[in-house]
Amino acid sequence: VSSAQPRDTMAAPLATEVLLRPGTITDLPFFLKGVWDVYEIEGETHRYNEEDEAALAKSRLENNGVLIATHNDVPVGLVSFCFSSVTPFGVDYGAWSPYAWISFAYTIPEWRRRGVSKKLYSEVERIALEKGVKEIQLDVFSVNEGSDLFHRKLGYRPYVTLYTKSLE
């Protein structure tokens, strides 16, 4: 059993055993593992090439927009976020107040449903409120039912639905 694996399912809430820290460039392999795992769940419907994903993840890590959840100094989850007032997806829905944008979140499978992502999101909320930001936005691919359920449980609600049609 690795030191990142939870002791057992009957233990006290495991999020209390998880520490949060800012992401660093040394977290790049963990970040990319999360990206590929999520793409597998989502059917790789929007996959970039590995070089582009590595550059994007590196930029997020270098610009202090990533929180890492660790257990015994081993990463078990992450959330990537930023602050903006630019209309998401380039569609003009009217004036936007500043908001936090969660661009990516991931928890390793053996730590899911143990409060890790909830703890990460709570910290993003705390940081947002500290900055005077009163809204968090994110997107969830419709095939990722687990993510949809998680976000609804936290109080997130769909705002707009984007549709796509392949012409190939």
Side-chain angles (χ1 to χ4, degrees), residues 13-125:
L14 290 171
T16 60
E17 300 175 20
V18 171
L19 300 176
L20 302 183
R21 64 168 172 77
T24 68
I25 197 63
T26 60
D27 295 307
L28 185 60
F30 179 70
F31 194 117
L32 290 174
K33 178 192 179 334
V35 168
W36 304 136
D37 284 358
V38 170
Y39 282 167
E40 191 171 309
I41 291 167
E42 295 175 348
E44 302 181 29
T45 57
H46 58 287
R47 186 175 194 161
Y48 300 96
N49 68 49
E50 290 185 29
E51 195 173 288
D52 290 344
E53 281 298 335
L56 182 58
K58 182 179 178 196
S59 172
R60 290 175 181 166
L61 286 162
E62 290 174 338
N63 290 301
N64 302 318
V66 178
L67 290 173
I68 303 288
T70 65
H71 182 259
N72 294 336
D73 296 321
V74 177
V76 297
L78 71 88
V79 64
S80 176
F81 64 99
C82 64
F83 296 95
S84 182
S85 58
V86 176
T87 305
F89 303 108
V91 180
D92 186 6
Y93 300 111
W96 284 86
S97 299
Y99 61 92
W101 177 261
I102 294 179
S103 56
F104 183 73
Y106 173 71
T107 300
I108 62 174
E110 56 269 27
W111 277 82
R112 292 181 188 155
R113 294 177 191 83
R114 299 179 186 277
V116 174
S117 290
K118 186 174 182 180
K119 187 170 186 171
L120 286 161
Y121 276 59
S122 292
E123 182 63 7
V124 173
E125 289 175 15

Side-chain angles (χ1 to χ4, degrees), residues 101-165:
W101 177 261
I102 294 179
S103 56
F104 183 73
Y106 173 71
T107 300
I108 62 174
E110 56 269 27
W111 277 82
R112 292 181 188 155
R113 294 177 191 83
R114 299 179 186 277
V116 174
S117 290
K118 186 174 182 180
K119 187 170 186 171
L120 286 161
Y121 276 59
S122 292
E123 182 63 7
V124 173
E125 289 175 15
R126 187 196 64 74
I127 293 167
L129 288 169
E130 189 175 271
K131 293 180 172 285
V133 172
K134 296 180 174 121
E135 184 175 43
I136 297 177
Q137 297 183 24
L138 50 88
D139 61 357
V140 175
F141 277 74
S142 57
V143 297
N144 195 337
E145 294 172 357
S147 180
D148 180 66
L149 181 61
F150 167 76
H151 288 97
R152 287 175 186 271
K153 284 182 178 179
L154 289 185
Y156 290 85
R157 297 293 176 253
Y159 176 70
V160 65
T161 302
L162 298 175
Y163 289 88
T164 185
K165 176 182 176 181

